[in-house]
Amino acid sequence: MNTYKIAAIPADGIGPEVISAGLRVLEALAAREGSFRFEVESFDWGSDYYKARGEMMPADGLDRLQPFDAIYFGAVGAPDVPDHITLWGLRLPICQGFDQYANVRPTRILPGIKAPLADVGPGDLDWVIVRENSEGEYSGAGGRVHRGLPEEVATEVSVFTRVGVERIIRYAFKLAQSRPRRLLTVVTKSNAQRHGMVMWDEIAAEVAEDFPDVAWDKMLVDAMTTRMVLKPRSLDTIVATNLHADVLSDLAGALAGSLGVAPTANIDPERRYPSMFEPIHGSAFDITGKGIANPVASFWTAAQMLEHLGEDAAAARLMEAVEQVCEAGVMTPDVGGTATTDEVTDAVVNAIRGKND
Ligand code: IPM
Ligand code: MG
């Protein structure tokens, strides 16, 4: 029997609600499959920890996470702590410190969820956005001089390295190759940004030679937004820089009906470090503690975690259960339902238990 060591970091807002829902579902899957088990340790890092101790996680945080097989992360962000502190204090140090350079964001319209585009339903929109997750516009390079004076200057420098760009584009080609349509769109802004973005285009053309069976094309990020809206069926796998993919993945989430169900995986493809799995939605203070947070994103990212651990059958079973429950209309208010977090979780657990094959 395989044992997977999972570090749970529920953190802020609705994070604890959706992570505990996700852990229940993972337990149900382990019981159903019988071939693996989870050993979960929870860490109380986040904004409350920061308010008590002045840091989002302890200085040896990464050392403590290193022995785990995966990290299951809730959300960061608090109304009374600046966002750049929560982000740069916990999530980004884990992503960057563990070199989780591939951020993978699948988008599909789940059955039962109403999507905003006319005549675009489940099956018409099936994308995976691969976001460069270690450098680019999020490199943290830059600074401020003459702070507070009229002549203050701030720089926010994008850093693109050949190694960083090549490895994410290669990852995206491989992922595209593994999907039925074998189609990749490389997004840049190489008309206006003539250094880093032109290098992206050049590297994409070089890497493409190793994947003759993948059809690929290039898009400028502004034109990409219109293509996503007007021709969603023409897209499959998409690769873009850290910031461009951040923006495009919000649009993708909205076009699939809700950002509330969207998952994300922060992956170290070389498996030197644990990878981290989280819902995209964030801490959502307006509904924290009300018991109505949508747990679907945390289930979907749990499925990504299972795939990463090599448990493909369990991942597929989980997504089938989630789709069955959505199709039956057992959904939280953000996607038009009336169910609570617990009711959706119970329904998914029952769907997992009830399947015979
Ligand atoms: C995301 C989020 C984060 C990001 C925020 C919370 C900083 O928008 O995961 O897409 O931009 O990376
Ligand atoms: Mg975002």
Side-chain angles (χ1 to χ4, degrees), residues 250-324:
D250 266 28
L251 175 59
L255 295 177
S258 169
L259 201 60
V261 303
T264 187
N266 301 282
I267 292 184
D268 165 25
E270 278 79 46
R271 296 172 184 270
R272 297 154 297 171
Y273 306 102
S275 293
M276 179 161 72
F277 301 83
E278 56 173 338
I280 292 186
H281 52 57
S283 45
F285 277 92
D286 49 331
I287 56 161
T288 299
K290 295 194 174 153
I292 53 163
N294 192 337
V296 167
S298 69
F299 298 159
W300 196 339
T301 198
Q304 289 187 287
M305 181 164 81
L306 288 163
E307 275 169 17
H308 184 72
L309 295 171
E311 300 293 348
D312 291 5
R317 186 186 296 284
L318 172 52
M319 284 315 290
E320 259 173 56
V322 168
E323 292 188 19
Q324 212 177 303

Side-chain angles (χ1 to χ4, degrees), residues 65-78:
L65 293 174
Q66 174 68 55
F68 288 87
D69 294 307
I71 303 164
Y72 193 34
F73 192 90
V76 278

Side-chain angles (χ1 to χ4, degrees), residues 110-132:
L110 297 179
I113 289 188
K114 202 174 142 5
L117 292 176
D119 305 322
V120 176
D124 294 323
L125 190 160
D126 184 354
W127 304 334
V128 184
I129 297 181
V130 176
R131 170 178 180 183
E132 200 296 314

Side-chain angles (χ1 to χ4, degrees), residues 85 120 151 176 185 208 211 306 322:
I85 291 189
V120 176
E151 50 278 86
T185 300
F211 297 87
L306 288 163
V322 168

Side-chain angles (χ1 to χ4, degrees), residues 10-175:
D12 302 344
I14 58 171
E17 298 168 49
V18 297
I19 291 301
S20 80
L23 290 173
R24 276 188 57 206
V25 159
L26 285 169
E27 278 310 316
L29 274 170
R32 175 71 176 76
E33 300 286 328
S35 54
F36 60 84
R37 56 187 287 273
F38 296 106
E39 222 173 75
V40 180
E41 189 178 334
S42 252
F43 293 85
D44 63 349
W45 306 341
S47 296
D48 288 341
Y49 189 96
Y50 174 81
K51 282 181 241 168
R53 297 181 178 78
E55 53 188 7
M56 291 288 290
M57 66 171 164
D60 66 348
L62 293 193
D63 295 337
R64 291 175 57 189
L65 293 174
Q66 174 68 55
F68 288 87
D69 294 307
I71 303 164
Y72 193 34
F73 192 90
V76 278
D80 48 356
V81 184
D83 283 340
H84 66 274
I85 291 189
T86 51
L87 186 69
W88 282 97
L90 188 59
R91 188 171 160 269
L92 283 183
I94 296 174
C95 290
Q96 296 188 349
F98 283 161
D99 209 12
Q100 296 163 344
Y101 63 83
N103 183 275
V104 181
R105 306 189 152 187
T107 310
R108 272 187 291 131
I109 301 175
L110 297 179
I113 289 188
K114 202 174 142 5
L117 292 176
D119 305 322
V120 176
D124 294 323
L125 190 160
D126 184 354
W127 304 334
V128 184
I129 297 181
V130 176
R131 170 178 180 183
E132 200 296 314
N133 209 34
S134 65
E135 54 176 35
E137 308 87 345
Y138 282 55
S139 69
R144 289 169 70 171
V145 292
H146 311 307
R147 202 179 267 254
L149 299 175
E151 50 278 86
E152 180 166 3
V153 176
T155 58
E156 192 75 49
V157 182
S158 298
V159 174
F160 299 103
T161 64
R162 178 166 279 276
V163 168
V165 176
E166 212 233 283
R167 65 187 184 175
I168 197 65
I169 290 181
R170 193 167 288 282
Y171 183 91
F173 266 102
K174 271 193 204 145
L175 182 64

